[in-house]
């Protein structure tokens, strides 16, 4: 089972988590304001496969996780399709603008599972 950490600047992410779980993944939502800045730390603790960060710019949490832990990241994304492309390009940390959508979590997990052949 793949583990996806979801970290939203405003403490949200529950809808994305529903999508992750619907696709067969384990979702870990980082609680509280500024959660996006703790994405990499929680990914390390959970030994997560993927991390999704949400903030206004779509970059802060993803860049922090990449800088601190070396995760391959793509940030500034505004659509599910951009996230799918990033997964197919080998990125494991995805930075989006605010997009707490169930479909996002579901399609990201489905794409990742297809990519790794599970």
């Amino acid at each position: 089972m793949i583990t996806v950490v979801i970290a939203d600047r405003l403490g949200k992410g529950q809808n994305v988590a529903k999508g992750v779980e619907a696709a067969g993944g384990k979702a870990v939502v980082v609680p509280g304001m500024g959660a996006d800045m703790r994405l990499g730390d929680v990914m390390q603790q959970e030994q997560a496969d993927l991390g999704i960060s949400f903030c206004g710019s779509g970059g802060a949490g993803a860049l922090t996780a990449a800088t601190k832990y070396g995760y391959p990241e793509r940030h500034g994304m505004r659509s599910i399709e951009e996230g799918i492309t990033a997964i197919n390009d080998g990125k494991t940390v995805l930075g989006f603008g605010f997009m707490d959508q169930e479909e996002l979590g579901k399609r990201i997990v489905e794409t990742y599972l297809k990519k790794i052949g599970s």
Side-chain angles (χ1 to χ4, degrees):
M1 176 181 295
I2 74 161
T3 301
V4 182
V5 174
I6 301 157
D8 186 287
R9 172 69 51 134
L10 301 177
K12 298 180 181 182
Q14 293 77 13
N15 291 325
V16 173
K18 288 178 192 172
V20 166
E21 291 168 355
K26 174 187 171 190
V28 177
V29 178
V30 182
M33 297 294 286
D36 61 318
M37 299 308 289
R38 298 187 304 277
L39 176 65
D41 297 336
V42 177
M43 287 180 70
Q44 286 287 299
Q45 292 167 1
E46 296 289 331
Q47 297 181 348
D49 301 286
L50 295 172
I52 301 175
S53 171
F54 296 102
C55 70
S57 68
L63 288 169
T64 301
T67 300
K68 190 169 182 180
Y69 295 105
Y71 292 114
E73 66 85 27
R74 181 159 301 153
H75 63 277
M77 295 184 285
R78 303 276 186 239
S79 72
I80 294 169
E81 288 73 27
E82 285 180 290
I84 289 169
T85 299
I87 292 291
N88 286 326
D89 289 346
K91 308 305 180 194
T92 58
V93 172
L94 310 175
F96 291 94
F98 293 116
M99 290 179 55
D100 188 14
Q101 302 169 6
E102 189 171 335
E103 182 185 0
L104 173 64
K106 185 173 186 293
R107 291 189 56 202
I108 292 297
V109 169
E110 290 170 348
T111 301
Y112 183 78
L113 290 172
K114 185 184 292 184
K115 179 173 177 51
I116 65 170
S118 292

